């Protein structure tokens, strides 16, 4: 049971004093007590010294130090009992209800100032003060209001600062008013005989409050826990008892509680129900109240003050106060300003001052008794200023609750709560057996005091009560946290460590999950650890280095440091220097445990963990995966940890195996494919490793192995090409050719070195390679020739030295290289005399001619002269066809003239062979008839040029005529332009600038045929 308050009697009437205490008012250090005789006693409340506060008898009784001092007694204050007292500070007034009248007294001398005649028959009143800003000026002022209940009438007085308003408002309600409570500065709750109403004193609006049972509701509603009739109502109707009084009290956050009999209703300031369940009272309370943050109920029949949590409605403490019948609070009682201040409870003969224990001790007491929900709820209502390290304590209590949920096999709820409070991973992991945690060693609680008491049973303690004037139980509760709870062991001065009990630090192995529960609990642990990994990414880079401060402050301010501290494994010191080490240690624990969890509950998820950056323990993972035969996952792990040597050794080992043992994972590893895929994903910086383990896939399957270097990835493109080329050439010349073609044609590498090396490989192949058949050699040779023709990035003068002029296989290659060097006669000599292939010689000439003419500017078309004759062309330098024709007709010794190829050249390319230079090459013995085709070609070419010139001249003349007619006559389609322009000026036409008629004024016609006054044209 919680010990939130202790009762201390401060005023006790002596036995010979026949008066009774009827009303109480406390403000500052003054206590006003109204007696049944009409006397008013004024006391000074003495705040107990802290040293005396802690002193007491061994049995826990309160100190007998003097609590109050009687200052005055006004015996003639009233002739009748003083039923109610209040004050209005700004007006310096004390207000009293006596003999059915409300009277005003001077607050200093307590002399009667005025008795309000209108209040005759008054049964209750209520006062309130509020700061209100003037709507017009915005100047704040204090407005105080007095509400008096006179049977069915409600009378309202108001003060602005200290001036009483002359206007007295009056409202009439449906039934007699029993109680009044201000909900806000302008609204009050009136408890009637049969219901409650909300009254707005400014608008005079009255709203019925609908509630269960005796609270009041719509016609026919019967929603109380005992129907429409409560326990006290039964006594009132059947046995002559009194009807229960309607009770109202303000709670925190603008909420109010209405109670009548055993029925309750929580509402807001507008009178709307909050939908909360009713308080489980077995007996109707005599009075209710609110002392931040607790709900109070005075059970007169039991002589007890009941303390409840207003959120959970659970009973937290019962204090025995014999014959107590009213509670009095010094305002405000619903805010932080009231926190820690005592309230008063009075009976007819005694007044008790309720002293609140520190909230830290209250929370500790609840945690010791495993009432974690209550502790969490109370801390949620308390302001941070009222506790030492509230956030830390709340976090610790939630972790204790999560551990209880875990022990109750509510694993999902437990792990969700652990995740919510950023629980240290090692603390959660300790809740699992060794199959999940491995050899996790966490410091225990061996140094706890041997005299630590066992935690009391929570159920048994529910019925415990604290006797009036006897603080034994309170002393035990206040000291038990220090005995039962572990001293701070985290950061220096941590208050959260005070609620770490022995049960928290020692994990009961009997409660550890087993069987199906273990699998389910392990999956929930995996989800928790995934969340922890996400949080750690905010502080730790993938390579294990700490992130910069700017990267970790993107969330809520002030929470980053706390979140980091919550995650770390503390090894004895918490200096900033070893924070990195602690973070790495935590990351290793989290990832390794997550691996074990996956292996136990869902082995198929292990691969997803390894494909992400992780800090798993390599020895643990290696041993576990090899033992279970999950070699694919092991290779993924090696890749993620950059243990490429180990992974490639394993791939090579299984890649060479041929036996089939039925293991599906081993089938995926056999052959070179997995090794090729692995090598394709390595960095170019690991070229030594790539070349080392690329050899066996190349020898096993050359096409698949070459994908390592030919794949379209950044890695393959950035590999050092010289090293790869040397490596491939050492294995097979054909592989080198394939790689060279890839980098030249696909990667478009124009480095002359690689172009020359490809030619060199081709040449060595022709010399050294043993081909399977002649077609294979021919294909190899054609590849060489095609490359020589297309490539422009090799040095011809270097290459010509490697081409043996006496090797028939290199004749054509030599001719191509000579052609690239501009030695066309030598190249044609090879085609004509060594290769004896006129067609290739002609193709060569065609190619050279096209290249030369493409770079030469086209001559202007030839025009006919006045006499109609055709001009003679200038021969210019001889074309490539002249060279070929000269070789055919005037060959060097010992070759003979070749008439037929020469005549074909003349017939096909006669237009490209000027007559003056060509005819000089033809021997005189050749008949003219054989040159017919040549002359026809020449004549046809001359005519074509002449016709082209005539057509061009005609087109140019037509264009000139069109332009001249356009200038003279204008455009035929629009009618504008030239000398044919005209405009029509009518009598109605006006100038678009000045909007006046043209009349006989001078005008100006613009290019677009618009007309303006000549004088307006400048505008």
């Amino acid at each position: 049971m919680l010990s939130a308050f202790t009762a201390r009697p401060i005023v006790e009437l002596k036995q010979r004093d026949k008066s009774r205490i009827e009303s109480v008012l406390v403000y500052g250090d003054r206590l006003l007590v109204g007696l049944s005789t009409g006397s008013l006693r004024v006391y000074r409340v003495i705040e107990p010294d802290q040293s005396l506060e802690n002193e007491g008898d061994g049995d826990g009784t309160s100190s007998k130090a003097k609590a109050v001092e009687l200052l005055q007694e006004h015996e003639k204050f009233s002739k009748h009992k003083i039923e109610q007292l209040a004050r209005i500070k700004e007006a310096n007034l004390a207000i009293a209800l006596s003999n059915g009248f409300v009277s005003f007294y001077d607050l200093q001398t307590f002399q009667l100032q005025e008795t309000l005649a209108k209040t005759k028959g008054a049964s209750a009143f209520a006062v309130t003060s509020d700061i209100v800003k003037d709507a017009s000026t915005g100047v704040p002022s204090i407005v105080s209001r007095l509400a008096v209940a006179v049977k069915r009438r409600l009378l309202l007085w108001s003060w602005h600062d200290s001036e009483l308003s002359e206007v007295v408002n009056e409202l009439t309600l449906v039934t007699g008013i029993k109680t009044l409570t201000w909900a806000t500065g302008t609204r009050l709750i009136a408890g009637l005989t049969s219901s409650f109403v909300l009254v707005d004193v400014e608008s005079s609006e009255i709203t019925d409050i609908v509630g269960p049972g005796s609270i009041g509701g719509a016609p026919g509603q019967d929603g109380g826990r005992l129907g429409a009739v409560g326990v006290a109502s039964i006594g009132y109707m059947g046995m002559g008892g009194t009807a229960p009084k309607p009770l109202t009290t303000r709670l925190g956050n603008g909420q109010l509680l209405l109670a009548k009999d055993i029925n309750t209703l929580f509402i807001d300031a507008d009178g709307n129900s909050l939908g909360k369940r009713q308080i489980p009272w077995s007996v109707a309370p005599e009075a209710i109240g609110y002392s931040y943050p607790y709900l109070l109920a005075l059970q007169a029949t039991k002589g007890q003050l009941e303390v409840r949590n207003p959120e959970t409605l659970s009973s937290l403490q019962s204090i025995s106060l014999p014959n107590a019948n009213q509670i009095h609070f010094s305002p405000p009682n619903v805010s932080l300003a009231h926190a820690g201040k005592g309230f008063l409870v009075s009976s007819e003969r005694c007044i008790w001052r309720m002293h609140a224990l520190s909230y830290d001790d209250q929370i500790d007491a609840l945690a010791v008794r495993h009432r974690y929900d209550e502790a969490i709820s109370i801390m949620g209502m308390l302001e941070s200023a009222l506790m030492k390290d509230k956030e830390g304590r709340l976090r610790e209590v939630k972790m204790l609750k999560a551990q209880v949920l875990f022990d109750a096999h509510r694993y999902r709820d437990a792990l969700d709560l652990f995740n919510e409070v950023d629980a240290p991973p090692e603390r959660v992991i300790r809740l699992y057996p060794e199959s999940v945690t491995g050899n996790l060693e966490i410091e225990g609680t061996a140094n706890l005091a041997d005299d630590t008491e066992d935690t009391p049973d929570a159920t048994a303690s529910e019925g415990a009560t604290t006797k009036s004037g006897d603080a034994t139980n309170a002393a035990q509760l206040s000291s038990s946290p220090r005995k039962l709870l572990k001293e701070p062991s985290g950061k220096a001065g941590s208050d959260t460590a005070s609620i770490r009990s022995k049960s928290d630090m020692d994990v009961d192995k009997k409660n550890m999950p087993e069987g199906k529960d273990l699998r389910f609990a392990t999956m929930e642990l995996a989800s928790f650890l995934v969340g922890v990994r996400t949080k750690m990414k905010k502080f730790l880079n993938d390579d294990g280095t700490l992130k910069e401060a700017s990267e970790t402050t993107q969330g809520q301010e002030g929470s980053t440091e706390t979140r980091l501290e919550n995650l770390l494994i503390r090894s004895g010191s918490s200096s900033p220097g070893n924070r990195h080490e602690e973070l790495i240690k935590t990351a290793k624990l989290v990832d390794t445990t997550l691996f074990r969890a996956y292996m136990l509950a869902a082995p198929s998820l292990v691969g997803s963990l390894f494909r992400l950056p992780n800090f798993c323990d390599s020895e643990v993972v290696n041993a576990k995966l090899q033992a279970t035969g999950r070699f694919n996952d092991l290779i993924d792990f090696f890749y993620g940890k950059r243990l490429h040597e180990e992974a490639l050794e394993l791939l090579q080992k299984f890649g060479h195996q041929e036996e089939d043992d039925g293991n599906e994972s081993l089938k995926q590893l056999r052959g070179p494919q997995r090794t090729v895929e692995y090598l394709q994903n390595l960095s170019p910086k690991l070229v030594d490793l790539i070349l080392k383990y690329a050899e066996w896939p190349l020898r096993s399957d050359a096409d698949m192995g070459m994908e390592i270097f030919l794949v379209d990835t950044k890695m393959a493109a950035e590999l050092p090409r010289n090293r790869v080329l040397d490596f491939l050439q050492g294995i097979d010349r054909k592989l080198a050719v394939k790689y060279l073609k890839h980098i030249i044609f696909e990667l478009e590498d124009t480095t002359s070195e690689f172009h020359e090396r490809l030619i060199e490989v081709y040449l060595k192949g022709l010399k050294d390679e043993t081909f399977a058949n002649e077609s294979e050699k021919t294909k190899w040779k054609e590849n060489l020739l095609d490359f020589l023709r297309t490539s422009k990035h090799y040095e011809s003068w270097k290459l010509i030295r490697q081409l043996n002029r006496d090797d028939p296989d290199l004749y054509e290659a030599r001719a191509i290289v000579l052609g690239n060097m501009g030695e066309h006669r030598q190249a044609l000599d090879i085609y004509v005399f060594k290769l004896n292939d006129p067609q290739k010689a002609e193709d060569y000439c065609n190619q050279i001619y096209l290249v030369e003419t493409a770079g030469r500017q086209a001559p202007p078309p030839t025009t006919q002269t006045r006499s109609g004759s055709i001009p003679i062309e200038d021969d210019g330098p001889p074309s490539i066809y002249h060279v070929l024709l000269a070789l055919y007709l005037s060959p060097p010794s010992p070759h003979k003239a070749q008439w037929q190829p020469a005549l074909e050249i003349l017939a096909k390319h006669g237009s490209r062979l000027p007559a003056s230079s060509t005819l000089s090459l033809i021997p005189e013995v050749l008949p003219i008839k054989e040159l017919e085709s040549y002359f026809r070609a020449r004549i046809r070419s001359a005519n074509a040029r002449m016709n082209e010139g005539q057509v061009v001249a005609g087109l140019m003349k037509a264009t000139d005529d069109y332009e001249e007619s356009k200038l003279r006559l204008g455009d035929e389609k629009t009618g504008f332009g030239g000398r044919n322009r005209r405009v029509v000026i009518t009598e109605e036409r006006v100038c678009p600038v000045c909007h006046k008629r043209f009349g006989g004024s001078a005008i100006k016609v613009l290019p677009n045929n618009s007309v303006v006054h000549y004088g307006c044209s400048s505008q």
Side-chain angles (χ1 to χ4, degrees), residues 26-31 45 47 87 330 353:
V26 62
Y27 58 92
D29 63 346
R30 292 294 185 266
L31 172 62
V45 180
E47 292 295 336
R87 72 156 182 163
S330 55
R353 185 179 186 185

Side-chain angles (χ1 to χ4, degrees), residues 419 422-423 425 525-542 547 551-552 554-555 560 563-564 567 583 586-588 590-591 594 598 608-609 612-615:
N419 184 58
D422 295 333
L525 174 65
S527 299
F528 168 78
L529 294 177
V530 169
V532 174
R533 294 184 82 247
T534 303
K535 296 170 186 174
M536 294 188 69
K537 287 182 179 179
K538 299 178 181 179
F539 311 103
L540 203 61
N541 291 316
D542 294 341
K547 288 189 175 181
E551 300 180 54
T552 60
Q554 298 175 356
T560 302
R563 280 178 168 265
L564 177 59
L567 293 174
L583 196 56
T586 303
K588 185 175 181 180
V590 169
D591 287 351
L594 181 59
Y598 281 154
S608 62
L609 172 62
L612 297 174
N614 62 83
F615 296 89

Side-chain angles (χ1 to χ4, degrees), residues 571-603:
S571 56
S573 63
S574 58
S575 61
N578 63 355
R579 178 174 297 175
H580 185 200
E581 179 183 351
E582 293 170 354
L583 196 56
I584 292 295
K585 183 178 179 181
T586 303
K588 185 175 181 180
L589 171 65
V590 169
D591 287 351
T592 305
T593 306
L594 181 59
F595 161 71
R596 289 196 180 98
Y598 281 154
M599 287 299 295
L600 178 64

